[in-house]
Amino acid sequence: MSALHSVPALLSRTPHDWLVSAPGRVNIIGEHVDYCDGFVLPAAISLRTWMSGAHRPDSLIVVETEDGLRAEMTADAIPQAGPEKWANYLRGVLAGCLEAGLTVPGMEVRIASTLPQGGGLASSAALTVAFATLLEAAAGRMLDPDGKARICQEAESRYAGVPSGCMDQLASVHGRAGHALLIDCRSRSVEPVPLHGVSLLIINSGVRHDLADGAYATRRAETEEAAEVLGVPALRDAGEPLLINHAADLSPVLFQRARHVIGECARTLACAAAMKSGDWPRAGALMNGSHVSLRDDFEVSSPELDLIAAHAQQIPGVHGCRMTGGGFGGCCVALVQTEQAGEAARSLETFCRARLGPGAGVLLTEAADGAAPIVSVPA
Ligand code: GLA
């Protein structure tokens, strides 16, 4: 089991003028529906990406990661996308912040993260939101939070080639300790939902996913095609009766994709209602239903995620367990009664060691606050 909630030593040791962090997120339910204008229920988590910035006398931004990757950009010029994908996320954020009117100084930036990369916990949103937060601190001006989330989402689509929805960036910006967030992805309204008496366990399958490999974009295109056949602006506007009426007009695959999105939007609203009334068994049952739909209709699960979910669902105190995030590898999330969380985590850890590869295991985390500057020392 691993957990790291405090400032990584690498950054606290490096002299800096600003220090910020932005969280990853775990999605409790509402998967592959954000780009259909649907409803999602993520929580920001204590696993985060940290960034420090130190003034430079020129206008260069020189970025270095804890793994020794380096990238350079000019603080006062809209950057072009380059060959390294990780740096393009940052270039996209710089572009968006300059377009939004921030005046950014040259600086040395260091990055460290406690989030697994490619684990379905929104490591790329944590990267972009942390950088936007650093640029705000360095510019001495805050962006409007929704605008900041949009800049980060656009950085992914325009600069890194990932046509993601809005969930990850909104969760990383708006996270609230001890709460999940019910997000309406059309209006972008965010409602905190308390997680009283329950804990979230994240179980990493150890299999990395890569959203840029095309499958994510294909799923998104399929949902758009299905919406067009059903005659609605987005699948959020469709219900089961409409789907049944048009069954003959949709290919079997498009029918399955639409059935997932329509069912998942309903499950998410029902889950938020169950959580508000403290009906955790009902919330958990809806999560289990979400896993089946993602596995069979949306076809984004993996054998490892299926094994973890099936095992976790049998453990005493676990209300529900499902794959979380984009899928094709990554993590599962379990909703567990807090007093039984330690025992459940040990059982899952033993299971991972016996049945899965070396990268598999339980990540200790909790629902956490959104992105924030930690220290801001004016120059
Ligand atoms: C990724 C994307 C999100 C969302 C999820 C699936 O995390 O970045 O926008 O679409 O996949 O729910």
Side-chain angles (χ1 to χ4, degrees):
M1 282 184 248
S2 51
L4 181 53
H5 301 161
S6 47
V7 184
L10 172 74
L11 298 197
S12 51
R13 277 200 313 264
T14 315
H16 54 263
D17 298 298
W18 311 282
L19 179 62
V20 302
S21 81
R25 63 96 191 95
V26 65
N27 191 17
I28 298 169
I29 196 165
E31 212 66 83
H32 283 281
V33 298
D34 59 351
Y35 49 78
C36 303
D37 280 359
F39 299 92
V40 296
L41 193 55
I45 53 178
S46 44
L47 297 165
R48 322 172 72 84
T49 292
W50 302 81
M51 279 188 206
S52 66
H55 265 295
R56 272 178 69 100
D58 56 18
S59 62
L60 274 187
I61 298 181
V62 180
V63 184
E64 202 174 314
T65 72
E66 57 192 333
D67 306 323
L69 298 172
R70 264 176 74 88
E72 280 188 16
M73 52 204 98
T74 308
D76 50 9
I78 303 281
Q80 300 294 310
E84 328 93 317
K85 191 178 144 207
W86 74 272
N88 285 340
Y89 286 104
L90 305 181
R91 295 196 172 100
V93 171
L94 176 62
C97 288
L98 293 176
E99 283 160 8
L102 290 192
T103 306
V104 177
M107 58 182 144
E108 296 281 335
V109 178
R110 295 279 178 281
I111 307 181
S113 185
T114 52
L115 274 164
Q117 309 300 302
L121 301 177
S123 51
S124 48
L127 180 69
T128 55
V129 174
F131 194 48
T133 308
L134 181 66
L135 297 187
E136 285 178 316
R141 210 188 104 200
M142 305 283 279
L143 298 163
D144 127 76
D146 188 63
K148 175 169 156 183
R150 276 185 203 275
I151 286 172
C152 295
Q153 186 187 352
E154 273 177 27
E156 296 215 9
S157 54
R158 276 171 49 200
Y159 276 74
V162 183
S164 71
C166 62
M167 167 171 69
D168 302 352
Q169 299 80 11
L170 283 171
S172 187
V173 168
H174 291 286
R176 167 99 68 98
H179 291 72
L181 306 170
L182 176 62
I183 303 176
D184 176 338
C185 298
R186 175 168 283 162
S187 70
R188 301 171 70 94
S189 68
V190 179
E191 181 193 350
V193 179
L195 292 164
H196 286 320
V198 285
S199 299
L200 299 171
L201 289 179
I202 298 175
I203 310 102
N204 191 345
S205 70
V207 179
R208 275 178 71 106
H209 77 161
D210 186 353
L211 289 181
D213 74 355
Y216 183 87
T218 306
R219 292 298 184 286
R220 183 172 180 152
E222 286 166 347
T223 62
E224 283 161 7
E225 201 182 329
E228 205 173 308
V229 175
L230 297 182
V232 289
L235 282 181
R236 174 239 180 87
D237 302 299
E240 224 165 275
L242 186 71
L243 179 65
I244 304 297
N245 281 343
H246 280 80
D249 308 328
L250 291 161
S251 70
V253 166
L254 289 191
F255 180 83
Q256 281 178 222
R257 304 297 189 247
R259 183 165 58 187
H260 165 71
V261 174
I262 292 167
E264 188 75 354
C265 286
R267 278 187 292 272
T268 303
L269 290 174
C271 189
M275 285 165 67
K276 286 180 203 166
S277 65
D279 188 349
W280 302 110
R282 167 103 179 112
L286 290 157
M287 290 172 70
N288 296 346
S290 166
H291 185 84
V292 170
S293 179
L294 288 157
R295 183 191 67 199
D296 298 346
D297 274 352
F298 218 66
E299 298 179 282
V300 292
S301 189
S302 71
E304 295 83 6
L305 294 170
D306 294 344
L307 265 181
I308 293 168
H311 177 75
Q313 288 169 15
Q314 305 309 313
I315 297 176
V318 172
H319 295 300
C321 182
R322 57 180 285 277
M323 57 152 280
T324 187
F328 308 107
C331 294
C332 281
V333 58
L335 183 72
V336 193
Q337 203 57 36
T338 297
E339 56 274 21
Q340 285 156 294
E343 194 47 47
R346 280 188 286 280
S347 161
L348 282 161
E349 185 74 16
T350 308
F351 177 80
C352 287
R353 222 171 285 143
R355 300 287 299 276
L356 300 171
V362 176
L363 298 167
L364 293 182
T365 190
E366 55 202 25
D369 284 328
I374 313 299
V375 181
S376 180
V377 185

